[in-house]
Amino acid sequence: MYSILPAFVSALFLGFGVYVLLTEGFTRLSVPFALMCATTFFWQGTWAFLFQTSDPVLSGVLVKAGYFFILFLPTTFYHFVTEVSARRSEHALLIASWSLSVLLAVLLLASDTVVNGYGTFFFGKYPKAGILHPVHVAQTVLLACRSAWLLFAARRQTQAHDRRRLLDLCLVSLCLYGLAATDYAVNYGLAFYPVGAVFIAVSLGILAVTIVRYGLMRPYLIAATVAHEVATPLAAIGMHAEEIGNVLPELMRGYQLAVQHQLCVDGLYPGQSERLSSLATSIRRQVDSTSTVVEMSLASFTLDRLDRRSFETYPVRSCVNAALERFPFRPGERDMVHVMPIDAQLCFSGSDSLVVFVLFNLLKNALFAIQAESAERPRDEAGDYRGRVEIRAASEAGYCVLRFSDNGCGIPADILPRIFDPFYSTKSHGRGAGMGLTFCRRVAEALGGTIACESGPHVHTTFTIRLPEPGTSADRALHDAPAKPRRWPAGQDFAG
């Protein structure tokens, strides 16, 4: 009778693990979950036999066999949480926990220091704690607390509502998992039926539904798949455009000679031959622009998974130069951009590619604002208007401060507080999705900095980005704790 529950739970966990693996495949998240299910399956399966056996020798074997898998269960749960919270920095502690579990498992099999035989209760036989059993209990408590801290930190860091919901479900699952620790009291002689498996069953059931229904890893898999599938044809288009650009001048020269010698009739429209000469450049510019959008989309999915311990030092000037070299300017637009002298020693700690993407977004918005301002001005003033984008950078109070200004149409005061909100855009349908400035804010906060905006309609708009300089207190704090997303009051300049 008492063996029915562990037998049922054992079969249930086998179903959980197989369900997730078949649905999601082998991923960084599904594998540790499957390990949790496997350890619980063997543990509860062993208990189903232990509760009904009367053979002393077999009971001793089953006690050690079942506890062998229990020793690994806290580590597998912690492994799962490190993947959910995207904390690669936990790798050292994870390895240490696995090593301790292996050591305890060896001692379990070789001696009675972890489990010292078994006691007989009304429901059957159950392991008795050995002198080293408290080490396993302490490990379980430590890993549970650490897992809760990682989930709370990840929840504070993320802005996405869906991901917060997923992390909330993981926290609920962890709380239920913690209730299973009541079974340890039976190891020390308290006579009650151990129901911890029920809490673990519900806990891992929630996680199974969370992984499959809400797709914890699906956004990253989709982003990687899209990036791979789109990047290949884009690269081919770019190579074809370069080839066209190489041969087109010769073809056009031969065509013009043929027309001059009346070997063929000129069938091109007026000005079409001039436009054809810039065709390859236009295609290449569009390819570069689309490639950047793909890369930026992929980067936006992985922002929450940045390992800050891997940050390196980058000069700001090289990031500005790279952005200007790669940006797909239209004719005349590059002349509007003016970069003030930037100290070559001025650096920040973080990711250069992410900062380049931020500059791309600000450049695109600035040129759009300049175009809109030119169109809005009266006809007699439009001819005197000259768009200007100005980029400055300086060191201020331990931060690398990057200021990006333009004299475009500006941002009205009632709109300014919302410009960093997701999916908020003042552009017409099809011109913008409202994610550019949201991405800029997420990057700034992921790198331990801030971004703020001040604007005077039809006068200027200035974005101020502050990033920690290497070796400063802000940079050191960045490596010790996850950034907490912040919202700055509109128009406030945090550059000092």
Side-chain angles (χ1 to χ4, degrees), residues 336-423:
M336 300 180 187
V337 182
H338 301 270
V339 181
M340 300 298 104
I342 299 176
D343 186 356
Q345 302 302 317
L346 179 60
C347 298
F348 68 94
S349 179
S351 166
D352 57 341
S353 59
L354 289 177
V355 172
V356 169
F357 289 152
V358 169
L359 292 172
F360 263 60
N361 274 298
L362 297 181
L363 271 171
K364 180 183 67 175
N365 289 346
L367 294 173
F368 180 85
I370 289 172
Q371 182 182 12
E373 176 68 10
S374 179
E376 290 178 7
R377 285 178 177 264
R379 185 172 301 177
D380 57 340
E381 295 182 9
D384 297 331
Y385 172 68
R386 292 186 178 181
R388 181 180 176 87
V389 179
E390 190 172 281
I391 302 175
R392 297 175 178 271
S395 175
E396 298 179 10
Y399 284 86
C400 169
V401 181
L402 185 65
R403 289 186 175 88
F404 195 102
S405 304
D406 69 79
N407 63 344
C409 58
I411 305 172
D414 59 328
I415 293 177
L416 196 59
R418 303 180 61 188
I419 61 173
F420 294 109
D421 291 348
F423 304 108

Coordinates of all heavy atoms in Angstrom, one line a residue, residues 336-423:
M336 N 26.7 65.0 -43.0 CA 26.0 65.7 -41.9 C 26.5 65.3 -40.5 O 26.3 66.0 -39.5 CB 24.5 65.3 -41.9 CG 23.7 65.7 -43.1 SD 22.0 65.1 -42.9 CE 21.3 65.5 -44.6
V337 N 27.3 64.2 -40.5 CA 27.7 63.6 -39.2 C 29.1 64.2 -38.9 O 30.0 64.1 -39.7 CB 27.8 62.1 -39.3 CG1 28.2 61.5 -37.9 CG2 26.4 61.5 -39.6
H338 N 29.2 64.8 -37.7 CA 30.5 65.4 -37.3 C 30.9 64.8 -36.0 O 30.2 64.8 -35.0 CB 30.3 66.9 -37.1 CG 29.9 67.6 -38.4 ND1 30.7 68.1 -39.3 CD2 28.6 67.9 -38.8 CE1 30.1 68.7 -40.3 NE2 28.8 68.5 -40.1
V339 N 32.1 64.2 -36.0 CA 32.6 63.6 -34.8 C 33.7 64.5 -34.1 O 34.7 64.8 -34.8 CB 33.3 62.2 -35.1 CG1 33.8 61.6 -33.8 CG2 32.3 61.3 -35.7
M340 N 33.4 65.0 -32.9 CA 34.3 65.8 -32.3 C 35.5 65.0 -31.8 O 35.4 63.8 -31.6 CB 33.7 66.5 -31.0 CG 32.5 67.3 -31.4 SD 32.9 68.7 -32.5 CE 32.3 68.2 -34.1
P341 N 36.7 65.6 -31.6 CA 37.9 64.8 -31.2 C 37.6 64.0 -30.0 O 37.1 64.5 -29.0 CB 38.9 65.9 -31.0 CG 38.5 67.0 -31.8 CD 37.0 67.0 -31.8
I342 N 38.0 62.7 -30.0 CA 37.8 61.8 -28.9 C 39.1 61.2 -28.5 O 39.9 60.7 -29.4 CB 36.8 60.6 -29.3 CG1 35.4 61.2 -29.7 CG2 36.7 59.6 -28.2 CD1 34.5 60.1 -30.2
D343 N 39.4 61.3 -27.2 CA 40.7 60.7 -26.7 C 40.8 59.2 -27.1 O 39.9 58.4 -26.7 CB 40.7 60.9 -25.2 CG 42.1 60.6 -24.6 OD1 43.0 60.1 -25.4 OD2 42.2 60.8 -23.4
A344 N 41.9 58.9 -27.7 CA 42.1 57.5 -28.0 C 42.2 56.6 -26.8 O 42.0 55.3 -26.9 CB 43.4 57.3 -28.9
Q345 N 42.5 57.1 -25.6 CA 42.6 56.3 -24.4 C 41.3 56.2 -23.7 O 41.2 55.4 -22.7 CB 43.6 57.0 -23.5 CG 45.0 57.1 -24.1 CD 45.6 55.8 -24.5 OE1 45.5 54.8 -23.8 NE2 46.2 55.8 -25.7
L346 N 40.3 56.8 -24.2 CA 39.0 56.8 -23.5 C 38.3 55.4 -23.8 O 38.0 55.1 -25.0 CB 38.1 57.9 -24.0 CG 36.7 58.0 -23.4 CD1 36.7 58.1 -21.9 CD2 35.9 59.1 -24.0
C347 N 38.1 54.6 -22.8 CA 37.6 53.3 -23.0 C 36.4 53.0 -22.1 O 36.2 53.7 -21.1 CB 38.7 52.2 -22.8 SG 40.1 52.3 -23.9
F348 N 35.7 51.9 -22.4 CA 34.6 51.5 -21.6 C 34.7 49.9 -21.4 O 35.4 49.3 -22.2 CB 33.2 51.8 -22.1 CG 32.9 51.1 -23.4 CD1 32.2 49.9 -23.4 CD2 33.3 51.6 -24.7 CE1 31.9 49.2 -24.6 CE2 33.0 51.0 -25.8 CZ 32.3 49.7 -25.8
S349 N 34.1 49.4 -20.4 CA 34.1 47.9 -20.2 C 32.8 47.4 -20.7 O 31.7 47.8 -20.2 CB 34.4 47.6 -18.7 OG 34.4 46.3 -18.5
G350 N 32.8 46.4 -21.6 CA 31.6 45.8 -22.1 C 31.7 45.1 -23.4 O 32.7 44.3 -23.6
S351 N 30.8 45.4 -24.4 CA 30.8 44.8 -25.7 C 30.8 45.9 -26.7 O 29.9 46.7 -26.8 CB 29.6 43.9 -25.8 OG 29.3 43.5 -27.1
D352 N 31.8 45.8 -27.6 CA 31.9 46.8 -28.7 C 30.8 46.7 -29.7 O 30.2 47.7 -30.2 CB 33.3 46.8 -29.4 CG 33.6 45.4 -29.9 OD1 32.9 44.4 -29.5 OD2 34.5 45.3 -30.8
S353 N 30.4 45.4 -30.0 CA 29.4 45.2 -31.0 C 28.0 45.8 -30.6 O 27.3 46.4 -31.4 CB 29.2 43.8 -31.4 OG 28.9 43.0 -30.2
L354 N 27.7 45.7 -29.3 CA 26.5 46.2 -28.8 C 26.5 47.7 -28.8 O 25.4 48.3 -29.2 CB 26.2 45.7 -27.3 CG 25.9 44.3 -27.1 CD1 25.8 43.9 -25.7 CD2 24.6 43.9 -27.9
V355 N 27.6 48.3 -28.5 CA 27.7 49.8 -28.6 C 27.5 50.3 -30.0 O 26.9 51.3 -30.3 CB 29.0 50.3 -27.9 CG1 29.2 51.8 -28.2 CG2 29.0 50.0 -26.5
V356 N 28.1 49.5 -31.0 CA 28.0 49.9 -32.4 C 26.5 49.8 -32.8 O 26.0 50.7 -33.5 CB 28.8 48.9 -33.3 CG1 28.5 49.1 -34.7 CG2 30.3 49.2 -33.1
F357 N 25.8 48.8 -32.3 CA 24.3 48.7 -32.6 C 23.6 49.9 -32.0 O 22.6 50.4 -32.7 CB 23.8 47.4 -32.1 CG 24.3 46.2 -32.8 CD1 24.4 45.0 -32.2 CD2 24.6 46.2 -34.1 CE1 24.8 43.8 -32.8 CE2 25.1 45.1 -34.8 CZ 25.2 43.9 -34.2
V358 N 23.9 50.3 -30.9 CA 23.3 51.5 -30.3 C 23.5 52.7 -31.1 O 22.6 53.5 -31.4 CB 23.8 51.8 -28.8 CG1 23.4 53.1 -28.3 CG2 23.3 50.6 -27.9
L359 N 24.7 52.9 -31.6 CA 25.1 54.1 -32.5 C 24.3 54.0 -33.8 O 23.8 55.0 -34.3 CB 26.6 54.1 -32.7 CG 27.4 54.5 -31.5 CD1 28.9 54.3 -31.9 CD2 27.2 55.9 -31.1
F360 N 24.1 52.8 -34.3 CA 23.3 52.6 -35.5 C 21.9 53.1 -35.3 O 21.3 53.8 -36.1 CB 23.2 51.1 -35.9 CG 24.2 50.7 -36.9 CD1 25.6 50.8 -36.7 CD2 23.8 50.1 -38.1 CE1 26.5 50.4 -37.6 CE2 24.8 49.7 -39.0 CZ 26.1 49.9 -38.8
N361 N 21.3 52.7 -34.2 CA 19.9 53.1 -33.9 C 19.8 54.7 -33.8 O 18.9 55.3 -34.3 CB 19.4 52.5 -32.6 CG 18.8 51.1 -32.8 OD1 17.8 51.0 -33.5 ND2 19.4 50.1 -32.3
L362 N 20.8 55.2 -33.0 CA 20.7 56.7 -32.9 C 21.0 57.4 -34.2 O 20.4 58.5 -34.4 CB 21.8 57.1 -31.8 CG 21.6 56.5 -30.4 CD1 22.7 57.0 -29.5 CD2 20.2 56.9 -29.9
L363 N 21.9 56.9 -35.0 CA 22.1 57.5 -36.3 C 20.8 57.4 -37.2 O 20.5 58.4 -37.8 CB 23.2 56.8 -37.1 CG 24.7 57.2 -36.8 CD1 25.7 56.3 -37.4 CD2 24.9 58.6 -37.4
K364 N 20.2 56.3 -37.2 CA 19.0 56.1 -38.0 C 17.9 57.1 -37.5 O 17.3 57.8 -38.4 CB 18.5 54.7 -37.9 CG 17.2 54.4 -38.7 CD 16.7 53.0 -38.4 CE 16.3 52.9 -37.0 NZ 15.6 51.5 -36.7
N365 N 17.7 57.2 -36.2 CA 16.7 58.2 -35.7 C 17.1 59.6 -36.0 O 16.2 60.4 -36.3 CB 16.5 57.9 -34.2 CG 15.8 56.6 -33.9 OD1 15.3 56.0 -34.8 ND2 15.9 56.2 -32.6
A366 N 18.3 59.9 -35.8 CA 18.8 61.3 -36.1 C 18.6 61.7 -37.5 O 18.0 62.8 -37.8 CB 20.2 61.5 -35.7
L367 N 18.9 60.9 -38.5 CA 18.7 61.2 -39.9 C 17.3 61.3 -40.3 O 16.9 62.1 -41.1 CB 19.5 60.2 -40.7 CG 21.0 60.1 -40.6 CD1 21.6 59.0 -41.3 CD2 21.6 61.5 -41.1
F368 N 16.5 60.4 -39.6 CA 15.0 60.5 -39.9 C 14.5 61.8 -39.3 O 13.6 62.5 -40.0 CB 14.3 59.3 -39.2 CG 12.8 59.3 -39.4 CD1 12.3 58.8 -40.5 CD2 12.0 59.9 -38.4 CE1 10.9 58.7 -40.6 CE2 10.6 59.9 -38.5 CZ 10.1 59.3 -39.7
A369 N 14.9 62.2 -38.2 CA 14.5 63.5 -37.6 C 14.9 64.7 -38.4 O 14.1 65.7 -38.6 CB 15.0 63.7 -36.2
I370 N 16.1 64.7 -39.0 CA 16.5 65.7 -39.9 C 15.7 65.8 -41.1 O 15.3 66.9 -41.6 CB 18.0 65.5 -40.2 CG1 18.9 65.8 -38.9 CG2 18.5 66.4 -41.3 CD1 20.3 65.5 -39.1
Q371 N 15.4 64.6 -41.7 CA 14.6 64.6 -42.9 C 13.2 65.1 -42.6 O 12.6 65.9 -43.4 CB 14.5 63.1 -43.4 CG 13.7 63.0 -44.7 CD 13.6 61.5 -45.1 OE1 13.9 60.6 -44.3 NE2 13.1 61.3 -46.3
A372 N 12.6 64.8 -41.4 CA 11.3 65.3 -41.1 C 11.3 66.8 -40.8 O 10.4 67.5 -41.2 CB 10.8 64.5 -39.8
E373 N 12.4 67.3 -40.2 CA 12.5 68.7 -40.0 C 12.5 69.5 -41.3 O 11.9 70.5 -41.5 CB 13.7 69.0 -39.1 CG 14.0 70.5 -38.8 CD 12.9 71.2 -38.0 OE1 12.1 70.5 -37.4 OE2 13.0 72.4 -37.9
S374 N 13.3 69.0 -42.2 CA 13.4 69.6 -43.5 C 12.1 69.7 -44.2 O 11.8 70.7 -44.9 CB 14.5 68.9 -44.4 OG 14.6 69.5 -45.6
A375 N 11.3 68.6 -44.1 CA 10.0 68.5 -44.8 C 9.0 69.5 -44.1 O 8.1 70.0 -44.8 CB 9.5 67.1 -44.8
E376 N 9.1 69.7 -42.8 CA 8.2 70.5 -42.1 C 8.4 72.0 -42.2 O 7.5 72.8 -42.1 CB 8.2 70.1 -40.6 CG 7.6 68.8 -40.3 CD 7.7 68.4 -38.8 OE1 8.1 69.4 -38.1 OE2 7.4 67.3 -38.4
R377 N 9.6 72.4 -42.6 CA 9.9 73.8 -42.6 C 9.2 74.5 -43.8 O 9.1 73.8 -44.9 CB 11.5 74.0 -42.7 CG 12.2 73.8 -41.4 CD 13.7 74.0 -41.6 NE 14.4 73.8 -40.3 CZ 14.7 74.8 -39.5 NH1 14.5 76.1 -39.9 NH2 15.3 74.6 -38.3
P378 N 8.9 75.7 -43.7 CA 8.3 76.5 -44.8 C 9.3 76.5 -46.0 O 10.5 76.4 -45.8 CB 8.1 77.9 -44.3 CG 8.0 77.7 -42.8 CD 8.9 76.5 -42.4
R379 N 8.8 76.6 -47.2 CA 9.6 76.5 -48.4 C 10.7 77.5 -48.4 O 11.8 77.2 -48.8 CB 8.7 76.7 -49.6 CG 9.4 76.5 -50.9 CD 8.4 76.5 -52.1 NE 7.5 75.5 -51.9 CZ 6.4 75.3 -52.8 NH1 6.3 76.1 -53.8 NH2 5.6 74.3 -52.6
D380 N 10.5 78.7 -47.8 CA 11.6 79.7 -47.9 C 12.7 79.5 -46.8 O 13.8 80.0 -46.9 CB 11.0 81.1 -47.6 CG 10.2 81.2 -46.3 OD1 9.8 80.1 -45.8 OD2 10.0 82.3 -45.8
E381 N 12.4 78.6 -45.9 CA 13.4 78.3 -44.8 C 14.1 77.0 -45.1 O 15.2 76.7 -44.6 CB 12.7 78.2 -43.4 CG 12.2 79.6 -43.0 CD 11.6 79.5 -41.6 OE1 11.8 78.4 -40.9 OE2 11.0 80.4 -41.1
A382 N 13.4 76.1 -45.8 CA 13.9 74.7 -46.0 C 15.3 74.8 -46.7 O 16.1 74.0 -46.5 CB 12.9 73.9 -46.8
G383 N 15.5 75.7 -47.6 CA 16.7 75.8 -48.4 C 17.9 76.2 -47.5 O 19.0 75.8 -47.8
D384 N 17.6 76.9 -46.4 CA 18.7 77.4 -45.5 C 19.0 76.4 -44.4 O 20.0 76.5 -43.7 CB 18.3 78.7 -44.9 CG 18.2 79.8 -45.9 OD1 18.8 79.7 -46.9 OD2 17.3 80.7 -45.7
Y385 N 18.1 75.4 -44.3 CA 18.3 74.4 -43.2 C 19.4 73.4 -43.5 O 19.3 72.8 -44.6 CB 17.0 73.7 -42.9 CG 17.1 72.6 -41.9 CD1 17.4 72.8 -40.6 CD2 16.9 71.3 -42.3 CE1 17.5 71.7 -39.7 CE2 17.0 70.2 -41.4 CZ 17.3 70.4 -40.1 OH 17.5 69.4 -39.3
R386 N 20.3 73.2 -42.6 CA 21.3 72.1 -42.8 C 21.3 71.2 -41.6 O 21.6 71.6 -40.5 CB 22.7 72.8 -43.0 CG 22.9 73.6 -44.2 CD 24.3 74.1 -44.4 NE 24.5 74.8 -45.6 CZ 25.7 75.4 -46.0 NH1 26.8 75.2 -45.2 NH2 25.8 76.0 -47.1
G387 N 21.0 69.9 -41.9 CA 21.0 69.0 -40.9 C 22.4 68.7 -40.3 O 23.4 68.7 -41.1
R388 N 22.5 68.4 -39.0 CA 23.8 68.2 -38.4 C 23.6 67.2 -37.3 O 22.7 67.3 -36.5 CB 24.3 69.5 -37.8 CG 25.7 69.3 -37.2 CD 26.2 70.6 -36.6 NE 27.5 70.5 -35.9 CZ 28.7 70.5 -36.5 NH1 28.8 70.7 -37.8 NH2 29.8 70.4 -35.8
V389 N 24.5 66.2 -37.3 CA 24.6 65.2 -36.2 C 26.0 65.3 -35.6 O 27.0 65.3 -36.3 CB 24.4 63.8 -36.8 CG1 24.5 62.8 -35.6 CG2 23.0 63.6 -37.4
E390 N 26.0 65.4 -34.3 CA 27.3 65.7 -33.6 C 27.5 64.6 -32.6 O 26.6 64.3 -31.8 CB 27.3 67.0 -33.0 CG 28.6 67.5 -32.5 CD 28.7 68.9 -32.0 OE1 28.7 69.8 -32.9 OE2 28.6 69.1 -30.8
I391 N 28.7 64.0 -32.6 CA 29.0 62.9 -31.6 C 30.2 63.4 -30.8 O 31.3 63.7 -31.3 CB 29.4 61.6 -32.4 CG1 28.2 61.2 -33.2 CG2 29.7 60.5 -31.4 CD1 28.5 59.9 -34.1
R392 N 30.0 63.3 -29.5 CA 31.1 63.7 -28.5 C 31.3 62.6 -27.5 O 30.4 61.8 -27.2 CB 30.8 65.0 -27.8 CG 30.6 66.2 -28.7 CD 30.1 67.4 -27.9 NE 30.0 68.6 -28.6 CZ 31.0 69.5 -28.8 NH1 32.2 69.3 -28.2 NH2 30.8 70.6 -29.6
A393 N 32.5 62.5 -26.9 CA 32.7 61.5 -25.9 C 33.8 62.1 -24.9 O 34.7 62.8 -25.4 CB 33.2 60.2 -26.4
A394 N 33.6 61.9 -23.6 CA 34.5 62.4 -22.6 C 34.4 61.5 -21.4 O 33.5 60.7 -21.2 CB 34.2 63.8 -22.3
S395 N 35.4 61.6 -20.5 CA 35.4 60.9 -19.3 C 34.9 61.8 -18.2 O 35.4 62.9 -18.0 CB 36.9 60.4 -18.9 OG 36.9 59.8 -17.7
E396 N 33.9 61.3 -17.4 CA 33.3 62.0 -16.3 C 33.0 61.1 -15.2 O 32.2 60.2 -15.3 CB 32.0 62.7 -16.8 CG 32.3 63.7 -17.9 CD 30.9 64.4 -18.4 OE1 29.9 64.2 -17.7 OE2 31.0 65.1 -19.4
A397 N 33.7 61.4 -14.0 CA 33.4 60.7 -12.8 C 33.4 59.2 -12.9 O 32.6 58.5 -12.4 CB 32.1 61.2 -12.2
G398 N 34.4 58.6 -13.6 CA 34.5 57.2 -13.7 C 33.7 56.6 -14.8 O 33.6 55.3 -14.9
Y399 N 33.0 57.4 -15.6 CA 32.2 56.9 -16.7 C 32.6 57.5 -18.0 O 33.1 58.6 -18.1 CB 30.7 57.3 -16.5 CG 30.0 56.5 -15.4 CD1 30.0 56.8 -14.1 CD2 29.3 55.4 -15.8 CE1 29.4 56.1 -13.1 CE2 28.6 54.6 -14.8 CZ 28.6 55.0 -13.5 OH 28.0 54.2 -12.5
C400 N 32.5 56.6 -19.0 CA 32.7 57.1 -20.4 C 31.4 57.7 -20.8 O 30.4 56.9 -20.9 CB 33.1 55.9 -21.3 SG 33.1 56.3 -23.0
V401 N 31.3 58.9 -21.1 CA 30.0 59.6 -21.4 C 30.0 59.9 -22.9 O 30.9 60.7 -23.4 CB 29.9 60.9 -20.6 CG1 28.5 61.6 -20.9 CG2 29.9 60.6 -19.1
L402 N 29.1 59.4 -23.6 CA 28.9 59.6 -25.1 C 27.7 60.4 -25.3 O 26.6 60.0 -24.9 CB 28.8 58.2 -25.7 CG 28.8 58.1 -27.3 CD1 30.1 58.6 -27.9 CD2 28.5 56.7 -27.7
R403 N 27.8 61.5 -26.0 CA 26.7 62.4 -26.3 C 26.4 62.4 -27.8 O 27.4 62.6 -28.6 CB 26.9 63.8 -25.8 CG 26.9 63.9 -24.2 CD 27.0 65.3 -23.8 NE 26.8 65.4 -22.3 CZ 27.8 65.3 -21.4 NH1 29.0 65.1 -21.9 NH2 27.5 65.4 -20.1
F404 N 25.2 62.2 -28.1 CA 24.8 62.1 -29.5 C 23.7 63.1 -29.8 O 22.6 62.9 -29.3 CB 24.3 60.6 -29.8 CG 24.2 60.3 -31.2 CD1 25.2 59.5 -31.8 CD2 23.1 60.7 -32.0 CE1 25.0 59.1 -33.2 CE2 23.0 60.4 -33.3 CZ 24.0 59.6 -33.9
S405 N 24.0 64.1 -30.6 CA 23.1 65.2 -30.8 C 22.7 65.4 -32.2 O 23.5 65.1 -33.1 CB 23.6 66.5 -30.3 OG 24.0 66.4 -28.9
D406 N 21.5 65.9 -32.5 CA 21.1 66.3 -33.9 C 20.2 67.5 -33.8 O 19.6 67.8 -32.7 CB 20.3 65.1 -34.5 CG 19.0 64.8 -33.9 OD1 18.0 65.6 -34.2 OD2 18.9 63.9 -33.1
N407 N 20.0 68.2 -34.9 CA 19.2 69.4 -34.9 C 17.9 69.1 -35.8 O 17.5 69.9 -36.5 CB 20.0 70.6 -35.5 CG 20.4 70.4 -36.9 OD1 20.4 69.2 -37.4 ND2 20.8 71.4 -37.6
G408 N 17.4 67.9 -35.6 CA 16.2 67.5 -36.3 C 14.9 68.1 -35.7 O 14.9 69.1 -35.0
C409 N 13.8 67.4 -35.9 CA 12.5 67.9 -35.5 C 12.3 67.9 -34.0 O 11.4 68.5 -33.5 CB 11.4 67.1 -36.2 SG 11.4 65.4 -35.9
G410 N 13.1 67.1 -33.3 CA 13.0 67.1 -31.9 C 11.9 66.2 -31.4 O 11.1 65.6 -32.2
I411 N 11.7 66.1 -30.1 CA 10.7 65.2 -29.4 C 9.9 66.1 -28.5 O 10.4 66.7 -27.6 CB 11.4 64.1 -28.6 CG1 12.4 63.3 -29.5 CG2 10.3 63.2 -28.0 CD1 13.2 62.3 -28.8
P412 N 8.5 66.1 -28.7 CA 7.7 66.9 -27.9 C 7.7 66.5 -26.4 O 8.0 65.3 -26.1 CB 6.3 66.7 -28.5 CG 6.5 66.3 -29.9 CD 7.8 65.5 -29.9
A413 N 7.5 67.4 -25.5 CA 7.6 67.1 -24.1 C 6.7 66.0 -23.6 O 7.0 65.2 -22.7 CB 7.4 68.4 -23.3
D414 N 5.5 65.9 -24.2 CA 4.5 64.9 -23.8 C 4.9 63.5 -24.3 O 4.4 62.5 -23.7 CB 3.1 65.2 -24.2 CG 3.0 65.4 -25.8 OD1 4.1 65.8 -26.4 OD2 2.0 65.1 -26.3
I415 N 5.8 63.4 -25.3 CA 6.2 62.1 -25.8 C 7.5 61.7 -25.2 O 7.7 60.5 -25.1 CB 6.3 62.2 -27.4 CG1 4.9 62.4 -28.0 CG2 7.0 61.0 -27.9 CD1 5.0 62.6 -29.5
L416 N 8.3 62.6 -24.8 CA 9.7 62.3 -24.3 C 9.7 61.2 -23.2 O 10.6 60.3 -23.2 CB 10.3 63.5 -23.8 CG 11.8 63.5 -23.6 CD1 12.5 63.2 -24.9 CD2 12.3 64.8 -23.0
P417 N 8.8 61.2 -22.2 CA 8.8 60.1 -21.2 C 8.6 58.7 -21.7 O 8.9 57.7 -21.0 CB 7.7 60.5 -20.2 CG 7.5 62.0 -20.5 CD 7.7 62.2 -21.9
R418 N 8.1 58.6 -22.9 CA 7.7 57.2 -23.4 C 8.6 56.7 -24.5 O 8.4 55.6 -25.0 CB 6.3 57.3 -24.0 CG 5.2 57.8 -23.0 CD 3.9 57.8 -23.6 NE 3.4 56.5 -24.1 CZ 2.3 56.2 -24.8 NH1 1.6 57.3 -25.1 NH2 2.0 55.0 -25.2
I419 N 9.7 57.4 -24.9 CA 10.5 57.0 -26.0 C 11.2 55.7 -25.8 O 11.5 55.0 -26.8 CB 11.5 58.1 -26.4 CG1 12.4 58.4 -25.3 CG2 10.7 59.4 -26.9 CD1 13.6 59.4 -25.7
F420 N 11.5 55.3 -24.6 CA 12.2 54.1 -24.3 C 11.3 52.9 -24.1 O 11.7 51.8 -23.9 CB 13.2 54.2 -23.1 CG 14.3 55.2 -23.4 CD1 14.3 56.4 -22.7 CD2 15.3 54.9 -24.3 CE1 15.3 57.3 -23.0 CE2 16.3 55.8 -24.5 CZ 16.4 57.0 -23.8
D421 N 9.9 53.2 -24.1 CA 9.0 52.1 -23.9 C 8.9 51.1 -25.1 O 9.0 51.6 -26.3 CB 7.6 52.6 -23.7 CG 7.5 53.4 -22.4 OD1 8.4 53.3 -21.5 OD2 6.5 54.1 -22.1
P422 N 8.8 49.8 -24.9 CA 8.7 48.9 -26.0 C 7.5 49.2 -26.9 O 6.5 49.5 -26.4 CB 8.6 47.5 -25.3 CG 9.1 47.7 -23.9 CD 8.8 49.2 -23.6
F423 N 7.8 49.1 -28.2 CA 6.8 49.2 -29.2 C 6.1 50.6 -29.3 O 5.1 50.7 -30.0 CB 5.7 48.1 -29.1 CG 6.2 46.7 -29.0 CD1 6.2 46.0 -27.8 CD2 6.7 46.1 -30.1 CE1 6.7 44.7 -27.7 CE2 7.2 44.8 -30.1 CZ 7.2 44.1 -28.9

